[in-house]
Every structure is written in structure tokens, then in C-alpha cells.
Amino acid sequence: MIHRRTFLERIGLLGLGLGLGNQGVSKALGQTSRDAPPKRLVVISHCHGWPYSSWNMRPPGVASDTPWQIQLNSIPQDQWSKPLAPLYGHRSALIAIDGLSLATAELDMDGNRHDTGWVHAWTGGWADFSGADTRSTTASIDQIVAQHIARSDRLPSLELSLDDSGENGRPVSYGQKGLRLPVEADPTRVWQRLFGAQNGQYANESSIAETMSYAFREFQSIAPRLDTQSRIKLEAHFDLFNQLKGRLDGMANLRCPQGPDTPSPATNYDEKFDAMSELIGAAFSCDLTRVVSVSLGELPTRDFGWDHLTDDVHKGLAHGIYDDPVKHEAMTDYLHRHSLQVSRFVDLLAGLPDINGSGSILDNTLIVWGSELADGWHGYQHYCPVLIGGSWHFNTGQYQYRPHQTPIRILTRDGYTDRAGLPHQKLLVSIAQAMGLAVDQIGLNHVQTQTGHRLDISGALTGLT
């Protein structure tokens, strides 16, 4: 992990306090003062959903059968729920959403509920269980956004996981063909991917260049002898190859001289989270990528004070969230610990000034914090994502409630409900629109309910902008 002050010094941002101003920062990062800062997206996903009854915040007298919203500034700090309380200091940048369900996952029951949930949560599409590894039938929101906003000479996206001895992070990122993208869980390897090229640590860089030059010569010699279809396929393949070369060249020619040192080995989950956070901050400051996904693996029970009960979060605590009040309390503490981590990450981005005197990195970043399930019992009923940032598009600083009125039946501990919350695909559309995409559908645009009715689920959530 990198000490926070050292981290700021290494990426050249303490120049602000030395009279360099934002133009000095921009110069250090290889940008001109005329550049507008890019918009960025961070997707954070944790395991086991939310303990809804301890997560939600409902002021006295509000209705449960009609929509309402309340400004978070109007809720005193001592009245914030325990899972949301660590974010109190960022309340003006926050939107807490109470009223969604992973309703379409309930209609897609070919596989286990974990796999189905993580595919639907971030792609909005059906899961494909026909192979050895669960696939999606559509790309995930992070990859859709990356395709729209990425620089051709930098990393289109960065896929990270915080793993521990319990369970690894759940899949978040799926490519255009629905294949799960590989993730990196070692901060040192993340550093090498981000900064290794400019520091001459790609030992095979010359070999890569020679290979690409050879491939181009072969392409030129073979292409005239191919039929039309074969040439089209080869051209498509070479286009991808050429895009890779452009990214490698761009990373090798990167001018971010004050990038962070190689992180030291992390000894626990919190240190690894902070090391990854600092690398994300550095990547955004140097415009190495604009889209990051972070899958939070299972926290060790000792980290949130419940190792006296069990060392197994999944089966020891999460499955029993509705059977045992003690386990419900434990999962509340579990989520509270993640909230503390997310709050530190937001603090970090808020402390990094962006280019051209345009505020902080956070001011130009949208963070979406969700999960692969609604609760540890494998339910899909109360899906409770939080948006942080994105104020260029969203009306932040609010808690939004919507009653469950969608005619999809959701399985709960007490049987099936008659109605679900709004399909979460509407949130994915809202995210895409905030990032500049002109879309009204992410994943599915309609489904057939259990009663045979066609239900339109396209469009964005209302009341957020």
C-alpha cells in the first residue's frame, strides 16, 4: 500500500500547495490547460446483497405505497442507517435508491441464483448456462460505456477484484460476445499494467513490436489472394490486432513521470482495497483508463467483528439472514465495513484535483455501488444500489423511494410476492445516459411475466436527473 501523502506527492498533485496550480498538474500529467476533463465510471460490486431492514432510511410519516424522495441533507447524521452512515460526509454527492428489484433474474431460472444474479445485475440480459462457465448474452454496463468513452491509445477499461481466503469477487465485466473478462487481484500486477510500459518493465516490448510488424507484412501479402469473406474476417482480426498495437504504443509513450511507486505487498483486505483505490486514482489522474470495475470478494469475518461466530460469511452468516437476528446483525456490520472502504475511496478521488481547474477527480466521476444479489438468502426483491457523483447529469444528494408495483413475482423467505420493484435495467440505462450514450435499453427491453404478460422494461429511472 502507498501512504496517502506519498501517493499524492508521487502523482504530482501536491504541486497545488506549492503554487503550481492546476496548470502545473496538467503539465505533469501530459495534458494542456485547454483540455476538458474526461468523464469516468467506476462500478463496485460486493457479495451477498443488502440487509434491507437495516439499510433503508424512512423518515416518520412517509408512505410505503406511493413514491417519495427526501434530501439527504435533511436527515441528521444520527438517523442514518448503519450501512449508509459512513457515506454521510459525501451525502451531497449521493443518491440512495430504494425501490428496485433484480426482477428479470427471477424470470431466468436455468442456473443457480448467484450466477443468474451477477449476470443480470451488470448486463441487464439473460444468463447463458450452456457452457462450463456462465456467460451473458449481452455486454456489461462498464464495457458498453468503455466502448463509447475510451481513448484508443490507452486501456479501454480496468477489471479488478479484491479476493481473500473466503470467496473471490463475483464477475462484473462481460465483453461484447457475453464472455466473462479476466480480472486482476494483485495490486503489483495492476501497477505493472498501468505504469510498467513507461518504466521500461515490459521485457518483451521489442518482441511484441517485431511480431506485429511481421503480422502486418503477412497480412499485406496474403490479402490479395483471399476471397471476399475470408478477407473481411482477416481484416477484422487485423483491426483488433492494430488496436492492441495502438494501446501498447500509447502506454509505452505515456508521460506521467510522477506516477506512484510499485505498491508494497498488502497484508490484509483493507490494505489491498486502499492500494487498489490509489492505483485507480493514479490511473484516472494520468488518463490511463476511464472505466474501472471492482469486484469485492468476501470479507474475512474477523474484519467486521464476527470471527467468534464463524469464519464462513457465505453459509455461516449470509444464508441465515432471515432465520437468525444475530446473523442479520452480522451482515449489517459486513456491509458497514464495505461502506467504510467505499467512503475512503470517495475521499481519495475528492482529494485529487482534475485538470483545467475543473474541480476534483470525483467531480467528473460516477461511482455505481451494487451487488450480485438483493440479499444473502439469494433473494432478488430489495436491490439497493447507491450512486456517488455524476452531478453533471444526476440531481444528487437524495434518497429515492419507489413502491414495488411491477407485475413480476419475486421469491422471498415467506413465499412469492405479487409485485416486484422497478426492473434494475432502468438504472443501467440511467448510468449509460449519464455517460453520454443515447440509449433507452441496456440488456433486455421487455420480458414475459409469470402470468404471460409482455412487460416493457426499457427507459431510464425517472426523478434522478
Side-chain angles (χ1 to χ4, degrees), residues 44 51 114 121 129 132 139 169 210 255 283 298 327 346 373 398:
I44 300 175
H114 273 287
F129 296 99
E210 290 177 7
R255 294 295 175 264
E298 198 167 88
K327 294 180 179 180
V346 178
L373 291 168
Q398 56 178 311

Side-chain angles (χ1 to χ4, degrees), residues 196-211:
Q198 73 160 349
N199 285 278
Q201 296 197 15
Y202 284 0
N204 61 343
E205 188 175 341
S206 60
S207 299
I208 293 172
E210 290 177 7
T211 301

Side-chain angles (χ1 to χ4, degrees), residues 83-87 335-344 369:
L84 288 174
L87 295 169
L335 190 59
H336 177 261
R337 186 59 174 248
H338 275 324
S339 189
L340 287 168
Q341 292 162 346
V342 172
S343 181
R344 291 202 306 272
W369 177 19

Side-chain angles (χ1 to χ4, degrees), residues 176-199:
Q176 299 303 318
K177 301 295 185 181
L179 291 174
R180 187 202 317 191
L181 299 183
V183 298
E184 185 52 70
D186 181 353
T188 301
R189 290 176 61 88
V190 175
W191 180 92
Q192 175 136 16
R193 189 177 180 195
L194 292 171
F195 300 103
Q198 73 160 349
N199 285 278

Side-chain angles (χ1 to χ4, degrees), residues 174-359:
Y174 290 85
Q176 299 303 318
K177 301 295 185 181
L179 291 174
R180 187 202 317 191
L181 299 183
V183 298
E184 185 52 70
D186 181 353
T188 301
R189 290 176 61 88
V190 175
W191 180 92
Q192 175 136 16
R193 189 177 180 195
L194 292 171
F195 300 103
Q198 73 160 349
N199 285 278
Q201 296 197 15
Y202 284 0
N204 61 343
E205 188 175 341
S206 60
S207 299
I208 293 172
E210 290 177 7
T211 301
M212 290 184 168
S213 296
Y214 175 79
F216 181 63
R217 293 194 299 271
E218 286 292 292
F219 170 75
Q220 288 178 312
S221 64
I222 294 172
R225 303 197 300 270
L226 299 176
D227 61 68
T228 301
Q229 289 301 316
S230 297
R231 190 166 59 251
I232 290 173
K233 290 181 181 179
L234 187 59
E235 286 174 348
H237 176 76
F238 188 77
D239 281 346
L240 293 174
F241 204 59
N242 205 38
Q243 290 173 24
L244 174 59
K245 183 179 186 300
R247 289 200 294 272
L248 288 172
D249 288 344
M251 296 295 284
N253 294 320
L254 172 68
R255 294 295 175 264
C256 189
Q258 302 303 318
D261 288 327
T262 309
S264 57
T267 60
N268 57 50
Y269 193 102
D270 266 343
E271 286 190 2
K272 186 180 291 186
F273 182 94
D274 290 342
M276 290 293 199
S277 296
E278 290 161 355
L279 288 166
I280 294 169
F284 283 168
S285 295
C286 298
D287 204 14
L288 300 183
T289 190
R290 297 171 179 178
V291 176
V292 177
S293 63
V294 184
S295 183
L296 301 180
E298 198 167 88
L299 278 167
T301 55
R302 65 179 179 275
D303 281 16
F304 57 102
W306 287 89
D307 51 324
H308 62 281
L309 188 64
T310 179
D311 62 357
D312 184 352
V313 174
H314 190 164
K315 295 180 180 179
L317 297 176
H319 282 188
I321 192 171
Y322 298 128
D323 299 324
D324 185 343
V326 171
K327 294 180 179 180
H328 189 281
E329 182 184 356
M331 292 309 294
T332 297
D333 289 341
Y334 175 89
L335 190 59
H336 177 261
R337 186 59 174 248
H338 275 324
S339 189
L340 287 168
Q341 292 162 346
V342 172
S343 181
R344 291 202 306 272
F345 176 57
V346 178
D347 282 337
L348 177 70
L349 297 190
L352 299 177
D354 219 329
I355 65 171
N356 200 21
S358 50

Side-chain angles (χ1 to χ4, degrees), residues 332-404:
T332 297
D333 289 341
Y334 175 89
L335 190 59
H336 177 261
R337 186 59 174 248
H338 275 324
S339 189
L340 287 168
Q341 292 162 346
V342 172
S343 181
R344 291 202 306 272
F345 176 57
V346 178
D347 282 337
L348 177 70
L349 297 190
L352 299 177
D354 219 329
I355 65 171
N356 200 21
S358 50
S360 69
I361 295 288
L362 180 64
D363 291 330
N364 298 297
T365 300
L366 171 61
I367 302 169
V368 183
W369 177 19
S371 183
E372 98 278 16
L373 291 168
D375 58 54
W377 184 77
H378 299 171
Y380 298 141
Q381 183 182 19
H382 291 290
Y383 192 74
C384 306
V386 172
L387 302 179
I388 308 168
S391 58
W392 64 85
H393 182 81
F394 293 120
N395 180 20
T396 59
Q398 56 178 311
Y399 184 103
Q400 286 242 352
Y401 172 79
R402 297 290 180 269
H404 285 211

